[in-house]
Amino acid sequence: MNWSDFLSRRLAERRGTPLWRNRQAHQGADGRLLFTSNGQYLNFSSNDYLGLSRHPQIIAAWQRGADQYGVGSGSSGHVTGYTAAHHELEQQLAEWLGYSRALLFISGYAANQGVIAALMEKEDRIIADRLSHASLMEAAMHSSAQFRRFLHNDIDSLKQHLTKECVGKTLVVTEGIFSMDGDCAPLELLAQQTKSSNSWLMVDDAHGIGIHGEEGRGSCWEQNIKPEILIVTFGKAFGLSGAAVLCDGHTAEYMLQYARHLIYSTSMPPAQAVALSEAVRQIRAGEALRQSLQNNIHYFRHEAQHLPFSLMDSRTAIQPLVVGDNEHCIALSEQLRQKNLWVKGILPPTVPVGSARLRITLTASHTRQDIDALLEALHEPGY
Ligand SMILES: Cc1ncc(COP(=O)(O)O)c(C=O)c1O
């Protein structure tokens, strides 16, 4: 088969199905609004949970960083891409989150790939919650280690896997807050299991960091555990992008030697690190923003009880409404868009087959009136 036939065949398999993926270029967005050439929408699909993507002090910090360092880092951190700004941010993150070390990665995807690829060897095994993010699942699938999934948030299912013999090391993987369901992992119970089985726990807290726990320290802090590997990402509550791995000194030294995503990739721009340092300060002092978000979550859940959808068991900013059928989900998302409400439909394989959903995300920037507009549209007959 030639290349063109291959591409045509694979595209034909998808074209015209609800699984066809589209991107739409827009003219700007934040945690509340999204602007396109067709007008302004209320944005209920952003992960900018605290509205920090447009925070004036964070923007000013990025500009200061660009003035001092230029706009790019110039190389991998192992060559000349590691600046005082990166070093300071790593120290600040480690101190805030109670770890010896933090290592910066350019994205959460890269961090998850890099850590799992570096740590896991052939005789080892990875046991992951079956709803873990694609970046974790894919890293596990590509690893030479054995890969098993346990039932979502089900400790007995994890225990069953752990009782099986493994000659190598075991890494148990979960998200702190699940990105598509919005529910929280039972971290304390998971940590008990990993401790008693001499395994390690890796928690990806992309959706918990900045939001949960004292000073926004995240789901692990809130549930009073300290996993051996904590992943925090900066594309959500921080309003920027990038990620960090929190770990002990020994593990950090190992990563610096073996994590290929660190060694062979240009580090994040130093100006971004300066902006992220300011974002950490804003998050730590951001109790009022966290409170606004919590108020919006409570209000939405209270008022949404009478919607023709059942709410999921989520007390977080992610409030999905499961529609089930793919085409129906796409149609609902489109109907909401006609009313200037931006709510992305999420379809398999991102979520399990038969559970297509409107993934509503609430932020600190939404007003009561914004939420009322969404609820009113969702109440309309036909849904
Ligand atoms: C749980 C989780 N982990 C990792 C990622 C990837 O992070 P990044 O966007 O920084 O690559 C995401 C989403 O983007 C996520 O939801």
Side-chain angles (χ1 to χ4, degrees):
M1 184 183 292
N2 68 32
W3 278 102
S4 177
D5 289 346
F6 162 75
L7 297 172
S8 303
R9 179 175 57 80
R10 295 289 281 151
L11 287 171
E13 283 166 14
R14 277 232 167 142
R15 205 184 303 277
T17 75
L19 302 186
W20 185 259
R21 292 177 192 266
N22 271 320
R23 296 187 307 174
Q24 276 163 288
H26 60 72
Q27 267 96 44
D30 57 24
R32 176 169 177 255
L33 295 172
L34 185 144
F35 303 92
T36 76
S37 49
N38 296 328
Q40 175 179 309
Y41 297 79
L42 284 175
N43 186 0
F44 287 100
S45 286
S46 173
N47 295 321
D48 185 8
Y49 299 128
L50 297 179
L52 294 187
S53 70
R54 290 187 181 263
H55 193 288
Q57 279 167 261
I58 301 176
I59 294 172
W62 192 307
Q63 287 164 339
R64 263 197 328 276
D67 287 343
Q68 182 175 350
Y69 292 103
V71 291
S73 71
S75 71
S76 147
H78 285 63
V79 185
T80 60
Y82 187 65
T83 66
H86 295 94
H87 181 66
E88 226 170 84
L89 174 60
E90 287 182 344
Q91 289 200 319
Q92 189 185 16
L93 288 166
E95 186 266 320
W96 175 42
L97 298 172
Y99 279 81
S100 309
R101 297 286 294 273
L103 296 174
L104 299 175
F105 282 72
I106 54 158
S107 71
Y109 206 102
N112 285 338
Q113 300 279 313
V115 166
I116 288 179
L119 284 178
M120 304 311 287
E121 296 183 314
K122 198 160 184 275
E123 68 279 10
D124 299 336
R125 73 177 161 183
I126 302 162
I127 312 178
D129 186 292
R130 65 183 287 273
L131 294 190
S132 298
H133 189 258
S135 54
L136 294 162
M137 294 311 224
E138 203 165 283
M141 283 187 287
H142 288 160
S143 161
S144 57
Q146 204 189 100
F147 174 34
R148 298 283 179 265
R149 300 157 208 242
F150 64 96
L151 297 177
H152 178 52
N153 280 350
D154 186 327
I155 297 297
D156 289 334
S157 170
L158 172 63
K159 273 191 201 163
Q160 275 177 17
H161 285 289
L162 286 172
T163 52
K164 301 203 175 112
E165 193 70 41
C166 170
V167 287
K169 317 181 294 295
T170 298
L171 183 68
V172 174
V173 173
T174 185
E175 290 184 39
I177 289 166
F178 285 84
S179 52
M180 293 299 140
D181 287 32
D183 56 344
C184 306
L187 294 172
E188 219 181 320
L189 298 175
L190 291 170
Q192 280 167 15
Q193 290 305 314
T194 52
K195 289 257 164 329
S196 63
S197 60
N198 204 22
S199 315
W200 271 18
L201 180 61
M202 172 172 175
V203 177
D204 174 347
D205 203 24
H207 297 274
I209 193 71
I211 308 296
H212 291 263
E214 193 192 351
E215 291 189 6
R217 290 183 175 97
S219 311
C220 295
W221 190 277
E222 187 177 47
Q223 293 195 43
N224 203 20
I225 66 148
K226 187 173 166 189
E228 284 78 10
I229 306 283
L230 170 64
I231 307 289
V232 297
T233 72
F234 308 134
K236 279 96 180 159
F238 284 70
L240 286 118
S241 71
V245 176
L246 284 298
C247 56
D248 67 12
H250 205 194
T251 312
E253 286 310 318
Y254 175 89
M255 293 292 176
L256 287 170
Q257 303 311 314
Y258 291 101
R260 300 169 71 81
H261 293 68
L262 268 187
I263 300 165
Y264 296 109
S265 185
T266 303
S267 62
M268 74 169 58
Q272 185 179 336
V274 177
L276 281 164
S277 279
E278 182 57 35
V280 174
R281 284 189 281 276
Q282 295 299 331
I283 284 176
R284 294 188 74 163
E287 214 38 59
L289 290 175
R290 278 186 285 281
Q291 195 52 55
S292 303
L293 175 60
Q294 286 311 320
N295 293 345
N296 282 343
I297 295 167
H298 288 143
Y299 182 69
F300 174 84
R301 283 188 69 82
H302 185 262
E303 299 296 314
Q305 284 172 37
H306 308 296
L307 287 179
F309 303 94
S310 40
L311 289 173
M312 295 191 78
D313 181 22
S314 161
R315 60 180 178 89
T316 69
I318 303 162
Q319 292 293 328
L321 300 179
V322 173
V323 177
D325 177 67
N326 293 347
E327 287 179 16
H328 189 201
C329 186
I330 293 169
L332 289 180
S333 170
E334 191 45 48
Q335 283 169 42
L336 291 171
R337 198 159 303 173
Q338 302 295 330
K339 298 184 175 114
N340 292 80
L341 296 160
W342 199 277
V343 184
K344 181 104 176 116
I346 307 285
L347 308 180
T350 307
V351 292
V353 172
S355 74
R357 65 198 64 185
L358 295 171
R359 180 178 180 270
I360 293 169
T361 47
L362 300 166
T363 73
S365 314
H366 289 126
T367 65
R368 285 271 160 105
Q369 287 82 350
D370 297 340
I371 297 171
D372 285 341
L374 174 66
L375 289 162
E376 199 178 309
L378 288 166
H379 266 298
E380 281 183 13
Y383 287 144

